[in-house]
């Protein structure tokens, strides 16, 4: 699964992302997701709620410490790219990721003072 992340320019975010999202961004690809095909699982692994949005009006609010899954209808395609934008509850931008839903995609937010996004 290929993931591309755009981070806030705040230095704290970049520092917090070095071990997760920045590594994936520089490598250009991540290992295959453990999430089943045609699903997007988002986990909020910190003390804040994570809100994600995608094209077509998709939205999912993920409470702190929880995971939620969105489902897409299967097609014969092996590639179905979706841009997912993640925010901290209250509007603070975390990052964006392009994920292949046909392969299954997992995203998680973490961090307390400088939230970041990574794929799993």
């Amino acid at each position: 699964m290929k993931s591309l992340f755009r981070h806030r320019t705040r230095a704290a975010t970049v520092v917090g992302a070095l071990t997760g999202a920045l590594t994936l961004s520089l490598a250009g690809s991540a290992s295959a997701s453990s999430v089943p095909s045609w699903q997007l699982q988002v986990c909020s692994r910190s003390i804040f709620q994570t809100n994600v949005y995608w094209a077509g009006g998709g939205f999912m609010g993920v409470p702190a410490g929880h995971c939620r899954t969105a489902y897409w209808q299967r097609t014969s395609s092996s590639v179905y790219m979706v841009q997912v934008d993640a925010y901290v509850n209250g509007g603070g931008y975390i990052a964006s990721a392009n994920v292949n839903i046909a392969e299954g995609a997992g995203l998680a937010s973490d961090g307390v003072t400088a939230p970041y996004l990574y794929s799993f």
Side-chain angles (χ1 to χ4, degrees):
M1 173 177 66
K2 293 188 180 217
S3 299
L4 300 175
F5 295 89
R6 294 189 313 245
H7 298 283
R8 292 184 291 184
T9 56
R10 290 180 14 186
T13 300
V14 173
V15 171
L18 285 176
T19 59
L22 185 57
T23 301
L24 294 173
S25 175
L26 293 174
S29 65
S31 60
S33 174
S34 59
V35 177
S37 58
W38 299 100
Q39 295 180 24
L40 168 65
Q41 185 175 65
V42 178
C43 298
S44 181
R45 297 186 172 149
S46 189
I47 61 171
F48 54 86
Q49 176 170 314
T50 301
N51 297 318
V52 293
Y53 302 86
W54 57 87
F59 167 79
M60 186 165 39
V62 183
H66 290 84
C67 295
R68 293 228 169 127
T69 304
Y71 302 88
W72 273 257
Q73 184 170 348
R74 289 183 181 271
T75 69
S76 60
S77 177
S78 63
V79 177
Y80 188 83
M81 298 302 292
V82 173
Q83 179 176 328
V84 179
D85 299 315
Y87 296 83
V88 174
N89 198 34
Y93 175 75
I94 301 173
S96 293
N98 292 315
V99 296
N100 185 357
I101 297 298
E103 292 179 354
L107 296 173
S109 63
D110 207 340
V112 177
T113 58
Y116 56 94
L117 188 70
Y118 60 95
S119 65
F120 64 89

